[in-house]
Amino acid sequence: MKKYLLLLLLPFLMSCEKENFSNNNPYLPNYGFSVNINMNLPQFSNLQFPSNAVYINNGSAGVRGIIVFNTGGSYVAFDAACPNQALSSCSTMTLSGINAICACDGASYSLFTGQATGMQYPMKQYRVEQLDAVSLRVYN
C-alpha cells in the first residue's frame, strides 16, 4: 500500500520548483554569469527606489548586459539584448522610464513583465536574489 501511495505522490513532488524560468530564445545564447550589486554605490543607488532601472554592462553579464529593475516589491533582471532580433549593431535595448526599447524594431518592453505587445518572445529573464537590504545577486 505504501508503494502505491508513493507512486501516486511522486509526480506531485517532482513538479514542484522554486522558480519557473523559460529562457529559451533562438536569437540569444545562454551564458552563465553571476553579478553582485551593492545599491549603496552611486551607479546602483537608483535601485533603492520603486520603478527605477539600471543598465549594467560589465562585459560578463548577459548577452548585451543586463537591466535590473525595482518593481516596488521585488527586483527583476533581464538581458539587454532585443529578444526578437538576431544580434546586430542595433540589438541592445535602451531604458525609457519603466520600459526597454529595442532600436532595431522600436518595440517597447515592460520592465515589470518583460513583455511587448505583438512580439513573439519576451525579454530574457535572469534570477535575482536579495542578499540583504542593499545587496543583490543576479545570475543565470
Side-chain angles (χ1 to χ4, degrees), residues 34-109:
S34 179
V35 174
N36 287 343
I37 299 168
N38 180 347
M39 294 182 285
N40 280 332
L41 296 174
Q43 64 265 37
F44 305 124
S45 63
N46 284 345
L47 287 175
Q48 295 182 37
F49 307 101
S51 298
N52 280 326
V54 171
Y55 171 64
I56 301 169
N57 187 14
N58 65 6
S60 65
V63 178
R64 291 288 172 96
I66 57 174
I67 297 170
V68 183
F69 182 69
N70 181 340
T71 65
S74 63
Y75 296 89
V76 293
F78 299 101
D79 202 290
C82 297
N84 290 286
Q85 300 291 324
L87 294 176
S88 67
S89 61
C90 68
S91 64
T92 302
M93 295 198 282
T94 57
L95 291 172
S96 178
I98 59 171
N99 296 310
I101 310 297
C102 177
C104 296
D105 57 17
S108 178
Y109 294 82

Side-chain angles (χ1 to χ4, degrees), residues 1 4 11 22 28 42 46 56 59 80 96 98 109 114-115 121 130-131:
M1 180 67 173
Y4 294 116
S22 178
L28 305 177
N46 284 345
I56 301 169
S96 178
I98 59 171
Y109 294 82
Q115 302 282 333
Y121 296 104
Q130 188 158 4
L131 302 173

